[in-house]
Amino acid sequence: MIKKASYLLLALLLMLSSSTFAQTKEELKASALRDAKLYSKAKVKLDYETVVKHTHPSIINGSGGTAKVLENLKTSYASFKSNNKTAYEKSNVKSVSNVVFENGEYRCLVESYDQIKKDNARTKSKNYLIGTYNDAAKIWVFFKARELKGEMGNVFFPDYKTSLDIPKDVVTRKRF
């Protein structure tokens, strides 16, 4: 009788913990969407502090640290504003994948759309971000998925492996 009750209790605990875990992943997905939208809006508003806050630490550290990245963004954004030839016109989040737990962290893939005007051309791109949950700060941080490949990947993410299926970016440019 005690053995049967123990098995029943164990089964009940497993069911409860798995439903809590599923709920947590849904909450993480919702927070990933929220933070991806904040990050996206910050790019258009030229809010460099929010951009840096939601940028993956490997990018920040590999670019010289927070102070240097903030300084570079301030300079770039000031240039955008002063010359009126470059503008981040749109940045929208289209979707967030299911959250996966791999290599000790929660991750997701974010599909986004950016539109940038530079000189006499407009670039539109459907691109993908990888989001990683920063448990200490309770926020998601992002980097462009294409940065995993080539020289950028070797510098910023040399040992990064993921099971996420990452589509290729789609970029179109038109002169006007």
Side-chain angles (χ1 to χ4, degrees):
M1 180 77 171
I2 292 177
K3 205 173 198 180
K4 203 175 205 181
S6 296
Y7 286 125
L8 184 59
L9 181 60
L10 179 60
L12 182 62
L13 287 173
L14 286 172
M15 285 176 20
L16 287 174
S17 67
S18 67
S19 68
T20 303
F21 185 68
Q23 182 180 8
T24 301
K25 280 193 170 183
E26 286 305 310
E27 291 170 355
L28 285 169
K29 183 176 179 176
S31 67
L33 179 61
R34 177 200 67 217
D35 288 354
K37 286 180 177 181
L38 284 171
Y39 178 73
S40 184
K41 287 178 185 175
K43 291 188 295 183
V44 174
K45 290 181 179 180
L46 306 181
D47 175 0
Y48 46 83
E49 290 175 356
T50 300
V51 169
V52 169
K53 177 181 175 183
H54 289 282
T55 297
H56 195 282
S58 293
I59 301 291
I60 301 297
N61 296 335
S63 300
T66 302
K68 183 163 180 127
V69 172
L70 280 170
E71 179 184 320
N72 289 342
L73 283 175
K74 285 178 187 178
T75 302
S76 295
Y77 288 178
S79 173
F80 285 3
K81 286 181 180 179
S82 69
N83 73 19
N84 268 346
K85 290 185 178 185
T86 304
Y88 224 119
E89 296 178 316
K90 294 179 185 175
S91 184
N92 299 311
V93 173
K94 296 295 183 186
S95 65
V96 174
S97 72
N98 288 330
V99 173
V100 298
F101 187 78
E102 57 186 16
N103 300 320
E105 62 188 11
Y106 289 102
R107 297 176 178 167
C108 68
L109 188 68
V110 178
E111 180 183 334
S112 63
Y113 170 82
D114 292 321
Q115 182 173 305
I116 300 170
K117 180 185 91 171
K118 183 173 182 175
D119 298 322
N120 295 327
R122 180 167 284 119
T123 302
K124 297 178 181 182
S125 66
K126 177 167 80 169
N127 54 75
Y128 299 88
L129 304 171
I130 293 179
T132 302
Y133 187 65
N134 180 329
D135 193 41
K138 304 292 183 217
I139 63 168
W140 285 85
V141 293
F142 305 96
F143 66 93
K144 292 179 182 172
R146 71 174 172 251
E147 290 175 351
L148 286 177
K149 296 181 178 165
E151 190 176 326
M152 295 288 282
N154 292 334
V155 171
F156 296 118
F157 303 100
D159 299 319
Y160 197 93
K161 297 198 181 354
T162 184
S163 64
L164 295 169
D165 182 25
I166 303 169
K168 288 187 177 185
D169 292 353
V170 177
V171 179
T172 58
R173 290 180 182 87
K174 290 189 179 179
R175 294 216 171 267
F176 52 87

